[in-house]
Amino acid sequence: MRGSGGSAVHTPTVGSTAPAGRAPEEIRPSEPTPLGLYVHVPFCATRCGYCDFNTYTAGELGSTASPQSWMRAVDGELGMAAAQLGTDRALSTVFVGGGTPSLLGGQGLAEVLATVRRHFPVADDAEITTESNPESTDPEFFAAIRSAGYTRVSLGMQSMAPHVLAVLDRTHTPGRAQQAALEARAAGFDHVNLDLIYGTPGETDDDLRTSLHAVLDAGVDHVSAYALIVEDGTALARRIRKGQIAAPDDDVLADRYELIDQTLRGAGMDWYEVSNWAATDDPSAQCRHNLGYWHDADWWGIGPGAHSHVAGRRWWNVKHPARYAESITAGELPVAGSETLNADEHHTERVMLTIRCRTGLPAAELDASELSRARRAVDDGLLTWAGENLVLTSRGRLLADGVVRSILVADRSAA
């Protein structure tokens, strides 16, 4: 799972809203919830055909923004965040996502982390992660970021099949992601993730098996695997609409998910969130930062388009890097909008996110009618009991969104 820059971490736009240009009032992290920091790097060398994240190529930005102006603005927002949050609590996680953070180079990412440390205390045992594109990494890059204090690296692999990468408009060569993972391990990273995308038109079962074998041969302790989603406005969506390629098939996606799960479990990895698997012999293989998203922790999102969540309040930054920098220069938080969830909305969100995790949904979270519907999902083989928690079965994971709807009855006001 990616960080909060406009990605797989998405929550409904609900609740009361506050004006753009400022975060909700009286923000203070809620003890004893872990406090995380997300830093969004909006730069990419090229735009992938399936991607709708808040990213920009050099040609799209022109002279309006640069890594240098972005870094100055990040420094400014970090200062504002520290002033609002206070610095009495150390950060438990830092996640640098994008975009392509590795385009900053090893020294650039070292500067990002040094800037974070100037404004916030960072716990001695903090998990510090960066995403990276395999093509913009090398052994010197990994040595530099490991020396700077990064403890975890996530690499975009997507597939080992050249024709699959071509459909996705990925520029890295097959095998480079695997080699990059080996280089990261050699540089001293104990925690290395490889991202896969499955269900791309033209992908076969054998293509996916080859990708999975490459992942396992790289010796990583974490794998993220996401079904291809066709987002409106992307180049991929336009190609499908024109009939140039087929849309992903739901039955194929289900079969591929089962193949991934079986293969990774056979290699000593198990799911801890619907789209994420980690080594079973090391609890620290699980990504603590992303667990914070799923378990209602506090985090501040730094950078263009980044989302934040502190003490039940949520806000999001303006998207364009130039506008983001202008706000910081003017001494204002670059907030585009914000919301505060009411009790019902917060409950709905907790059910939606918590049920995706291996630890499950505490039955105590549900009212009597919801618990009755959850028990029907148990009878249907979609949920199972783990102590006092309800956990998705293998079949339930394939239908996770439907399970949530069946418990909440989609619109809770109708329950």
Side-chain angles (χ1 to χ4, degrees):
M1 183 176 231
R2 294 176 178 267
S4 57
S7 65
V9 180
H10 175 75
T11 48
T13 303
V14 292
S16 58
T17 59
R22 63 182 175 87
E25 301 290 345
E26 300 179 1
I27 297 170
R28 282 293 181 271
S30 45
E31 297 277 7
T33 300
L35 177 60
L37 187 81
Y38 174 79
V39 181
H40 186 65
V41 181
F43 309 111
C44 279
T46 61
R47 181 170 294 282
C48 299
Y50 64 92
C51 179
D52 73 337
F53 296 167
N54 188 45
T55 62
Y56 304 84
T57 65
E60 290 169 337
L61 286 173
S63 61
T64 63
S66 68
Q68 293 73 31
S69 63
W70 169 84
M71 188 69 245
R72 289 192 296 271
V74 163
D75 188 12
E77 190 184 2
L78 282 165
M80 295 178 187
Q84 288 226 13
L85 293 177
T87 57
D88 54 330
R89 286 177 60 199
L91 298 174
S92 61
T93 64
V94 178
F95 193 109
V96 182
T100 309
S102 50
L103 286 179
L104 301 177
Q107 292 308 310
L109 282 171
E111 182 183 355
V112 170
L113 186 53
T115 304
V116 170
R117 291 183 185 277
R118 282 202 303 272
H119 293 284
F120 283 96
V122 178
D124 291 340
D125 65 345
E127 175 193 86
I128 304 175
T129 306
T130 183
E131 295 179 333
S132 298
N133 186 316
E135 292 293 342
S136 51
T137 65
D138 56 29
E140 291 73 24
F141 168 84
F142 291 116
I145 63 173
R146 185 69 190 95
S147 177
Y150 287 85
T151 66
R152 187 180 196 98
V153 64
S154 180
L155 296 157
M157 178 177 183
Q158 282 69 53
S159 175
M160 281 286 287
H163 61 279
V164 172
L165 295 175
V167 171
L168 296 173
D169 291 326
R170 292 291 296 186
T171 58
H172 67 262
T173 55
R176 175 55 203 155
Q178 181 189 39
Q179 183 61 36
L182 292 168
E183 292 168 359
R185 294 297 299 269
F189 280 94
D190 293 328
H191 304 306
V192 181
N193 173 66
L194 282 171
D195 269 359
L196 292 174
I197 290 178
Y198 62 93
T200 302
E203 179 191 59
T204 66
D205 287 351
D206 284 342
D207 290 333
L208 181 56
R209 289 190 185 96
T210 298
S211 298
L212 288 167
H213 292 156
V215 165
L216 297 175
D217 288 344
V220 300
D221 66 341
H222 191 287
V223 177
S224 300
Y226 303 107
L228 179 64
I229 298 174
V230 181
E231 302 286 1
D232 290 340
T234 61
L236 178 63
R238 290 191 290 273
R239 293 179 67 190
I240 290 174
R241 188 170 61 249
K242 293 176 182 177
Q244 296 172 348
I245 56 176
D249 181 275
D250 288 343
D251 291 335
V252 170
L253 291 174
D255 290 342
R256 299 274 162 78
Y257 182 89
E258 291 178 330
L259 174 58
I260 292 167
D261 189 50
Q262 292 166 5
T263 303
L264 295 179
R265 283 193 293 110
M269 305 179 82
D270 208 349
W271 75 286
Y272 70 97
E273 190 275 340
V274 168
S275 298
N276 291 272
W277 290 256
T280 57
D281 60 355
D282 181 5
S284 65
Q286 299 181 15
C287 181
R288 270 196 283 151
H289 185 84
N290 283 338
L291 282 170
Y293 295 145
W294 296 313
H295 288 297
D296 209 25
D298 290 336
W299 76 89
W300 190 297
I302 298 287
H307 286 229
S308 302
H309 172 267
V310 179
R313 298 172 174 87
R314 184 182 296 114
W315 66 96
W316 47 95
N317 286 348
V318 296
K319 288 188 173 183
H320 198 279
R323 285 193 57 209
Y324 168 75
E326 288 168 2
S327 295
I328 299 296
T329 301
E332 299 176 351
L333 280 171
V335 176
S338 64
E339 62 191 8
T340 301
L341 302 185
N342 63 34
D344 273 0
E345 291 158 345
H346 187 241
H347 170 77
T348 295
E349 186 167 291
R350 280 188 58 81
V351 172
M352 288 170 58
L353 295 178
T354 307
I355 205 169
R356 292 180 61 86
C357 297
R358 180 64 179 263
T359 48
L361 169 67
E365 293 270 356
L366 304 178
D367 63 28
S369 60
E370 290 169 340
L371 184 57
S372 175
R373 291 190 291 272
R375 288 190 172 117
R376 287 203 293 272
V378 172
D379 293 340
D380 292 338
L382 301 173
L383 291 171
T384 188
W385 287 99
E388 298 299 315
N389 288 7
L390 290 152
V391 178
L392 291 167
T393 63
S394 295
R395 180 166 165 259
R397 277 184 279 155
L398 298 174
L399 303 168
D401 291 344
V403 174
V404 169
R405 286 193 298 270
S406 71
I407 293 173
L408 296 174
V409 191
D411 177 5
R412 293 193 77 241
S413 64

